[in-house]
Amino acid sequence: MPVLEPNPQNGQKKLLFVLGAMLGITVVIAVIASFASP
């Protein structure tokens, strides 16, 4: 598995999308937890 993709823009966009998805999921879980806690 190559560390650097041949197309840096596409790889960077994919990495940003994955990081954004992880951050979004974390925020959603935090919001749900804050609402669920009394």
Side-chain angles (χ1 to χ4, degrees), residues 24-35:
I25 290 169
T26 305
V27 168
V28 168
I29 290 174
V31 168
I32 291 172
S34 67
F35 273 122

Side-chain angles (χ1 to χ4, degrees), residues 5 7-19:
E5 291 190 28
N7 192 351
Q9 277 190 330
N10 192 21
Q12 197 173 16
K13 196 180 296 180
K14 191 188 298 181
L15 184 67
L16 274 173
F17 178 75
V18 171
L19 287 174

